[in-house]
Amino acid sequence: MSLPQLLDHLKKTAALSQVAGLIAWDQEAVMPKDGAGQRAEQTGALASVIHGFTADPRVPDWIDQIDPATLSSFDLRNVEEARRSYDRATKIPPRLAEESAKAASEGQRIWAQARAEKDFSQFAPALKRNIALRREAAACLAGPGDDLYDCLLDEFEPGAKSVELLPLLESLRPGLVALRERIAEKTAPQPLTGHFPAAAQLGLAKKVAARIGYDFDAGRIDTVVHPFCSGSGGDVRITTRTDEADPLNCLYSTIHEVGHALYAQGAPDPYMPAADYCSMGVHESQSRFWENQIGRSRPFMDWFYPAMRQAFGGLSLDGPDALYAAVNSVHSGFIRTEADEVHYNLHILLRFELERELIAGTLEADDLEEAWNSRFARDFGETVPDPSLGVLQDVHWSIGLFGYFPTYSLGNIYAACLDRAMRNEMPDRDAMVAAAETRPILEWMRERIHKRGRMLPAPKLIEEATGEAPSAQPLLDYLEAKFSALYDL
């Protein structure tokens, strides 16, 4: 009877985590401003309950009574994940779990106000609190000789180590910098200009989401400050944002979050850990694949350009080729989420460097803004004009997500590996994308990624999906080919 008891317990724990996700979505999307204090208390209380479920002393007793030889591979993974979660949870005091959740809720509110007012000093105390709490959590999780940052990274990318991840990500830098310098000598493409009403942007965003495969019977789209995806199974919600001078921000944020949502909607079970997403790097591979390899491809413009003309009543760009050049324009901007494919991973390398130092204690919160600005000038040759375009632009550190940023670049690497394998198997893919008939592409991902859940470690999952061990080379090859053609290099 121990296996049914364990699985029922895991289901209830997952359901509570889903409730936590819903109230986090509510806080960003629809909660009134004056509810922030109550929401922090609610979030902390719920985190304490979830921690209690995860660290329930019955869990190891149930596991010890189970004979692994009698289990299916799926249930064996559920048992292994239950043990892993229990081991992590029992190392974190309930007080720390509750305090961290409250600090994240409060930090997000303070960050949003500080970002709006372009004042890092407003956010610094909340950031200090989050850093202290994450250092404490990492110390609880660390064994002898363990790197504190790796203990946080493991939450998002199980098994990953900085000593292995750093050279992989840094291997991108020389090629990206060289490509950027060659492009800088070329004339920039004509930008998309005009006035684009928010309602029309959202209407087109919903149309694009549906054509790609997002199930609106199991989701919805709302507007927020920082787009995200939340939920699983039959309730997967995405968010976007609008700028009436720049519809591409809304549309590509939407496509990015739809990529996440397709993964979540395609999970074989909404409750069991073995069916959950493999890692955040794999999750990001889905969002980046749909945003870049599909949404920013030349074939997609054959459908996208007429759809934009219909939505906005005309465009300043003459034809799909001009739109393709505009959406892939390369320039050294300040905002990560608006960065082109050539610059994006350079943004991640900056954040990866800074957050490792913050957790190690070699960089303190009071010095973060100055460190950000000086290193941004080093990497991008630009002076950050205000913190909303610099250290305050991302929500992650306000909610304690240290160890998350490198998964974005892992996602780009994995996406390129998947893209190359898919192209080898689907010679007619460009025709599908041109017509926005992408169901076969989604089904390819469903079979190789979504339905596999957490049955394999991330590198092994990508290797089985593509036939090759993951490396940065497919991404570098993809970027070189794409932008050499676009800029006639």
Side-chain angles (χ1 to χ4, degrees):
M1 292 297 293
S2 52
L3 178 62
Q5 289 172 308
L6 177 65
L7 296 182
D8 181 66
H9 188 79
L10 293 176
K11 182 176 181 178
K12 290 176 180 176
T13 306
L16 287 168
S17 295
Q18 291 166 10
V19 173
L22 284 172
I23 68 172
W25 166 86
D26 175 86
Q27 178 173 336
E28 280 295 282
V30 296
M31 186 188 76
K33 181 180 178 181
D34 287 350
Q38 288 174 262
R39 182 53 44 85
E41 292 295 330
Q42 295 160 1
T43 300
L46 184 54
S48 180
V49 173
I50 294 170
H51 182 271
F53 266 69
T54 308
D56 191 316
R58 293 175 297 174
V59 169
D61 291 340
W62 288 327
I63 291 174
D64 289 342
Q65 295 171 38
I66 296 170
D67 180 2
T70 66
L71 300 181
S72 67
S73 58
F74 184 74
D75 280 337
L76 181 59
R77 283 296 296 135
N78 284 323
V79 171
E80 291 169 348
E81 284 295 308
R83 170 66 77 179
R84 178 177 183 272
S85 296
Y86 173 82
D87 288 344
R88 285 181 65 92
T90 52
K91 293 176 181 177
I92 302 293
R95 181 271 313 164
L96 179 57
E98 181 174 357
E99 189 175 348
S100 296
K102 289 175 63 176
S105 180
E106 293 168 354
Q108 188 170 15
R109 173 184 59 83
I110 295 167
W111 163 80
Q113 181 173 338
R115 183 175 184 266
E117 297 181 11
K118 304 178 180 180
D119 182 4
F120 177 73
S121 66
Q122 290 187 33
F123 176 57
L127 178 61
K128 289 179 188 177
R129 183 183 181 194
N130 274 337
I131 292 171
L133 290 168
R134 297 318 292 156
R135 286 175 181 167
E136 184 179 355
C140 291
L141 295 168
D146 284 348
D147 182 281
L148 292 184
Y149 182 82
D150 286 351
C151 296
L152 304 180
L153 175 65
D154 187 69
E155 181 177 350
F156 309 108
E157 205 63 28
K161 303 294 183 185
S162 298
V163 69
E164 300 167 352
L165 193 55
L166 185 59
L168 175 64
L169 300 190
E170 283 290 346
S171 70
L172 294 170
R173 189 187 296 272
L176 295 177
V177 171
L179 182 58
R180 176 180 70 181
E181 290 175 351
R182 289 158 61 205
I183 292 172
E185 299 175 356
K186 300 291 183 174
T187 302
Q190 179 184 350
L192 178 65
T193 58
H195 177 254
F196 306 91
Q201 290 186 42
L202 290 173
L204 180 55
K206 291 177 180 179
K207 183 177 181 180
V208 171
R211 288 300 291 264
I212 288 175
Y214 181 62
D215 182 0
F216 276 94
D217 288 336
R220 55 182 288 138
I221 296 180
D222 295 273
T223 56
V224 294
V225 174
H226 194 294
F228 64 95
C229 171
S230 176
S232 60
D235 187 354
V236 182
R237 309 180 186 198
I238 60 175
T239 60
T240 189
R241 59 187 174 199
T242 60
D243 176 345
E244 295 199 339
D246 178 16
L248 298 178
N249 191 307
C250 170
L251 295 169
Y252 282 98
S253 291
T254 300
I255 296 173
H256 180 97
E257 300 307 334
V258 165
H260 283 302
L262 294 176
Y263 194 1
Q265 289 181 337
D269 187 295
Y271 302 111
M272 292 297 103
D276 204 356
Y277 66 89
C278 180
S279 75
M280 279 313 306
V282 175
H283 225 313
E284 290 299 334
S285 78
Q286 301 304 289
S287 61
R288 299 299 284 175
F289 170 82
W290 286 100
E291 177 188 357
N292 293 328
Q293 277 85 357
I294 301 300
R296 296 185 191 275
S297 70
R298 174 57 185 84
F300 189 68
M301 300 303 141
D302 287 341
W303 176 85
F304 195 41
Y305 182 81
M308 288 192 69
R309 283 183 58 87
Q310 183 178 20
F312 301 119
L315 296 176
S316 63
L317 301 175
D318 185 18
D321 285 334
L323 181 59
Y324 176 56
V327 302
N328 289 290
S329 177
V330 175
H331 59 280
S332 183
F334 296 103
I335 302 297
R336 172 187 63 85
T337 57
E338 299 172 7
D340 56 77
E341 291 180 84
V342 175
H343 284 92
Y344 186 90
N345 293 293
L346 298 175
H347 284 268
I348 298 304
L349 287 169
L350 171 68
R351 289 154 176 78
F352 184 34
E353 175 185 334
L354 290 171
E355 69 176 12
R356 292 199 328 273
E357 294 180 17
L358 287 169
I359 297 303
T362 56
L363 175 65
E364 296 297 339
D366 285 335
D367 302 317
L368 178 60
E369 182 176 15
E370 181 181 351
W372 179 294
N373 292 346
S374 64
R375 298 185 203 189
F376 191 89
R378 175 200 68 191
D379 291 348
F380 293 87
E382 302 279 354
T383 300
V384 178
D386 68 68
S388 71
L389 296 175
V391 69
L392 289 177
Q393 67 179 270
D394 295 304
V395 70
H396 302 64
W397 294 336
S398 76
I399 54 178
L401 293 183
F402 292 88
Y404 191 112
F405 275 121
T407 69
Y408 287 119
S409 284
L410 274 178
N412 285 327
I413 289 170
Y414 292 161
C417 295
L418 293 165
D419 177 57
R420 184 162 73 176
M422 182 186 292
R423 284 187 168 280
N424 290 336
E425 295 181 29
M426 301 174 69
D428 56 346
R429 196 186 83 174
D430 283 352
M432 297 177 195
V433 175
E437 299 295 343
T438 56
R439 175 59 59 176
I441 297 172
L442 177 56
E443 288 303 319
W444 192 96
M445 285 294 188
R446 287 268 196 261
E447 293 298 322
R448 287 163 177 78
I449 301 296
H450 304 176
K451 292 181 180 179
R452 303 299 303 278
R454 196 169 285 190
M455 296 299 292
L456 295 170
K460 186 63 176 176
L461 177 66
I462 299 300
E463 182 175 359
E464 288 203 1
T466 65
E468 296 181 343
S471 76
Q473 198 56 51
L475 177 58
L476 292 170
D477 291 345
Y478 156 77
L479 294 174
E480 178 68 27
K482 177 176 182 176
F483 289 96
S484 289
L486 266 167
Y487 281 88
D488 192 26
L489 300 180

